Amino acid sequence: MVALGLAVLVALPALVEALPARDGGASAADLRDRVLASEDVAFSGYAISTGGLTLPVSDALTGVADLLSDQTSLRAWYRGADDWRVDVVTATGETGTHRDATGTWTWDYADQAASRGTLPPLALPTAPDLLPSALGRRLLSEAADDELSRTAPARVAGVDALGLRYTPADAAASVSEVDVWVDPGTGLPLRVVVRGGDTATPALDTRFLDLSLTTPDASTTDFVPPPGADVRSDQELTDVDLGRQERADLPGTLADLGRRTFDGVPEQVGVYGSGITVLAVSALPGRAAAGLRDQLAATPGAVVDDLGVRIAAGPLALMVAGTSTRDGGSGTYLLAGTVTLDALATAARQIQEAPAR
């Protein structure tokens, strides 16, 4: 019944989005501010996310690749930032993620297995991150006023949604535009479309298909592993080997993007940029670097030169760069982000030129 219901709901937007939606007089900056203030808006509903990226990744990252290259159906119950539940719906069943104040529970209905996860400062994207409400707030959180404009309204999940466009100003940006349609009453993002370059296919299109703005019952979002369940501790995102090889210091700026600091993020990881234009740099152990380098080099359109090997998958760019610094140090780095291939090459050269410790 769930699968059939979702199939019907998926067909609805093609019919209702042709209907006129009432516009509002809010400026683009005001509409962004309303989006950012919507974190406390309670709701429940169905959503669907469609990714347009094809990523050459190892087996350890197939889940991320599927999220960004396939269609994901979601059911959500949201009471607040630390009290929600999102179920990923498939043809064979559901996997639920329950958030509380200290972490998450992930419940696999088919395997009757529960995994407890913490909240690391940096984590791989998961299905709940693709909800329009969460994604819209995250992408607009650092958008400057002069990067915003109003766009045509649209009908989304039965709501006359207001249109907002974010066009990144950074020269290094590979994302050309982000369109967000917003509930005029609450500021809740209802649909988010991310585009990169000149391609007509969005890199990501996520939208609500059905939405209720009533507060879900607490028993819906609460989770306690049932008797007999297989209970595990999920270390996948916190126990990451970033390597300990000798390396150059990461500069304060790469490709004209300033470095940022986050509590709990290891020194080996450098995060640069703001808004939708972000570059992450991490030292790689040799055994991981060789395999990933070979995968990237085998990808159509890969650029292989003395800096390393780099590819673009829509607005996402990846590079494995081997460095020999001017002070005699060496190391291998993974560079990844929503930047251009030219920006990756510039960043790799700047790492080479940085003095070693």
Side-chain angles (χ1 to χ4, degrees):
M1 291 298 293
V2 171
L4 178 59
L6 284 173
V8 173
L9 289 171
V10 168
L12 284 178
L15 301 175
V16 300
E17 285 183 359
L19 301 176
R22 296 187 302 274
D23 199 353
S27 70
D30 288 341
L31 192 54
R32 173 208 54 205
D33 293 343
R34 288 163 62 183
V35 167
L36 299 184
S38 69
E39 189 174 33
D40 293 331
V41 176
F43 65 86
S44 60
Y46 289 99
I48 193 164
S49 173
T50 303
L53 305 182
T54 301
L55 301 177
V57 297
S58 64
D59 291 341
L61 295 179
T62 53
V64 177
D66 289 345
L67 285 178
L68 300 179
S69 64
D70 208 344
Q71 191 170 87
T72 303
S73 299
L74 307 164
R75 296 197 303 172
W77 298 264
Y78 185 93
R79 291 170 50 84
D82 293 327
D83 187 2
W84 50 257
R85 168 186 167 191
V86 176
D87 284 8
V88 178
V89 185
T90 69
T92 58
E94 300 182 15
T95 299
T97 301
H98 299 249
R99 169 70 184 269
D100 57 36
T102 60
T104 61
W105 281 105
T106 301
W107 173 244
D108 189 314
Y109 288 83
D111 293 341
Q112 293 289 288
S115 299
R116 181 63 175 173
T118 57
L119 302 173
L122 286 180
L124 298 174
T126 60
D129 296 323
L130 300 183
L131 277 177
S133 49
L135 186 63
R137 282 194 297 268
R138 186 162 53 254
L139 296 184
L140 292 174
S141 62
E142 295 182 332
D145 290 0
D146 58 1
E147 296 176 309
L148 298 170
S149 60
R150 290 295 308 275
T151 59
R155 189 83 165 170
V156 184
V159 175
D160 296 342
L162 306 180
L164 178 63
R165 176 165 292 173
Y166 169 23
T167 305
D170 286 304
S174 58
V175 172
S176 56
E177 60 193 28
V178 177
D179 286 331
V180 182
W181 284 271
V182 181
D183 174 46
T186 64
L188 195 71
L190 304 181
R191 182 182 181 187
V192 179
V193 177
V194 180
R195 295 184 176 86
D198 298 326
T199 178
T201 303
L204 187 65
D205 184 347
T206 179
R207 69 181 80 180
F208 282 109
L209 306 176
D210 182 61
L211 184 70
S212 169
L213 293 175
T214 58
T215 303
D217 191 82
S219 62
T220 304
T221 59
D222 189 33
F223 181 80
V224 177
D230 180 11
V231 179
R232 310 163 184 169
S233 178
D234 188 358
Q235 297 295 323
E236 179 182 357
L237 300 183
T238 57
D239 185 15
V240 179
D241 180 9
L242 293 172
R244 296 181 180 275
Q245 72 273 27
E246 182 182 359
R247 60 183 178 81
D249 281 333
L250 291 175
T253 301
L254 287 177
D256 291 328
L257 302 175
R259 186 171 182 178
R260 311 177 63 177
T261 57
F262 298 90
D263 291 340
V265 176
E267 185 183 359
Q268 296 98 322
V269 179
V271 181
Y272 297 81
S274 62
I276 191 63
T277 308
V278 178
L279 170 64
V281 182
S282 172
L284 282 177
R287 62 185 181 278
L292 184 55
R293 183 187 294 109
D294 290 344
Q295 282 185 295
L296 297 187
T299 303
V303 177
V304 182
D305 56 21
D306 59 334
L307 294 172
V309 55
R310 54 193 182 275
I311 68 162
L316 181 63
L318 301 170
M319 180 176 188
V320 173
T323 65
S324 296
T325 71
R326 63 187 181 187
D327 291 339
S330 63
T332 304
Y333 287 83
L334 172 66
L335 295 82
T338 48
V339 298
T340 64
L341 291 183
D342 287 344
L344 284 185
T346 298
R349 290 192 188 93
Q350 291 170 339
I351 293 173
Q352 286 184 346
E353 295 169 357
R357 290 190 168 188

